[in-house]
Amino acid sequence: MVHLLNLLAAIALLVWGTHIVRTDVLRVFGEDLRSVLARSFNHRAKAMLAGLGVTSLMQSSTATCLIVASFVGTGLVSTPAALAVMLGADVGSSLMAVVFSFDLSWLSPLLIFVGVVLFIPSQGSSIGRIGRALIGLGLITLALQLIVGATKPLTDSPAIRAMLAALPNEILLDIVVGAVLTVLAYSSLAIVLLVATLATTGILPVTVALGLVLGANLGSGVLGLLATGRASPQVRRLPLGNLMFKVLGAMLVIPFLPRLLDQLPHWVGTVHHQVVGFHLGFNVCLAVLCVGFTS
């Protein structure tokens, strides 16, 4: 029971860290981020790069979706151009998952220390908010370490191993669970990192992990729809189009999952990098496939 409670606390810390980074980066750089996006709409490649960069900084494709959707709602940009930004935003989010998949244990205490030093004397100012964002980054890396530590005793449990062996190999169920978890956590990045960590420790089979990652991608699209639920039809077109792209990508990938499971160990060494590499590859391929529809 104690190990399960530690795991839940570590997961909560991971979600909270991503929330802190997202909110404080928006508070500090909100107008600048909007300007960067606004200047990029005249060219699809620039639009994708702007979406990638902004989302990598905010660690939230949903936040990028809300900014761009506001441009669509006011008529400043067309929906196809905005969809190009969202394709880049999804790649940016998956790139951050790759960054956090490396051993950053040394970075966590440094980020938290520097963040607290900046935040305490300057609360409410831009410097203080940057400090809070650094604390959030430190909490993310710390939470991943805590998740690994909390899952080790669980993987040694015969009951847990028996339960994992009895899991149904249902990709559609895994996708639904991944999408629901992403909506509840309000962060696809947090869920992908959690899934990769649990797969590394043996709590999740890689087959289940890849299904959950596909679900996390769909869940991020659902988040955009929920966040703009009361907006005008023009605004809702962007998250709806983004979700349709993700559904299309998932439908194309599902038939090839067995072959991917066979090839991933040859391409990528560790299970953690296999999961986040699949997440990145999915979004890169989706961007390449769908960018033509935004022209």
Side-chain angles (χ1 to χ4, degrees), residues 138-162:
L139 293 179
I140 291 173
T141 56
L142 176 62
L144 294 174
Q145 299 169 51
L146 293 176
I147 289 171
V148 172
T151 52
K152 282 182 179 178
L154 296 176
T155 56
D156 295 333
S157 169
I160 295 295
R161 291 185 180 276

Side-chain angles (χ1 to χ4, degrees), residues 189-203:
L189 174 63
I191 297 304
V192 170
L193 292 174
L194 171 64
V195 168
T197 304
L198 294 180
T200 301
T201 57
I203 285 287

Side-chain angles (χ1 to χ4, degrees), residues 35-50:
S35 299
V36 169
L37 290 172
R39 291 196 299 268
S40 68
F41 289 119
N42 58 346
H43 192 277
R44 294 297 179 267
K46 285 176 61 179
M48 290 181 62
L49 287 175

Side-chain angles (χ1 to χ4, degrees), residues 108-119 130-132 134-135:
S108 176
L110 176 63
L111 288 171
I112 293 175
F113 173 75
V114 174
V116 170
V117 169
L118 293 176
F119 175 70
I130 291 174
R132 270 174 51 97
L134 292 177
I135 294 172

Side-chain angles (χ1 to χ4, degrees), residues 29 57 89 116 135 175 188 202 212 217 219 245 276 286:
F29 301 109
L57 185 61
V116 170
I135 294 172
I175 289 174
S188 61
L212 292 173
N217 280 281
F245 281 163
V276 297
L286 186 64

Side-chain angles (χ1 to χ4, degrees), residues 30-52 54-55 63-89 238 291 294-295:
E31 290 304 320
D32 293 331
L33 296 178
R34 288 177 174 85
S35 299
V36 169
L37 290 172
R39 291 196 299 268
S40 68
F41 289 119
N42 58 346
H43 192 277
R44 294 297 179 267
K46 285 176 61 179
M48 290 181 62
L49 287 175
L52 188 156
V54 169
T55 303
T64 304
C65 180
L66 292 177
I67 293 174
V68 180
S70 67
F71 292 154
V72 175
T74 55
L76 294 176
V77 61
S78 65
T79 300
L83 283 170
V85 175
M86 288 309 304
L87 290 172
L238 174 61
V291 69
T294 67
S295 302

Side-chain angles (χ1 to χ4, degrees), residues 226-269:
L226 294 176
T228 57
R230 297 185 178 181
S232 64
Q234 290 83 358
V235 172
R236 293 199 300 271
R237 285 176 191 159
L238 174 61
L240 178 60
N242 187 44
L243 178 59
M244 290 174 63
F245 281 163
K246 292 174 183 291
V247 171
L248 172 64
M251 291 174 60
L252 293 175
V253 166
I254 288 173
F256 296 99
L257 275 181
R259 182 170 179 81
L260 279 173
L261 286 167
D262 291 335
Q263 295 298 320
L264 274 176
H266 301 293
W267 298 337
V268 186

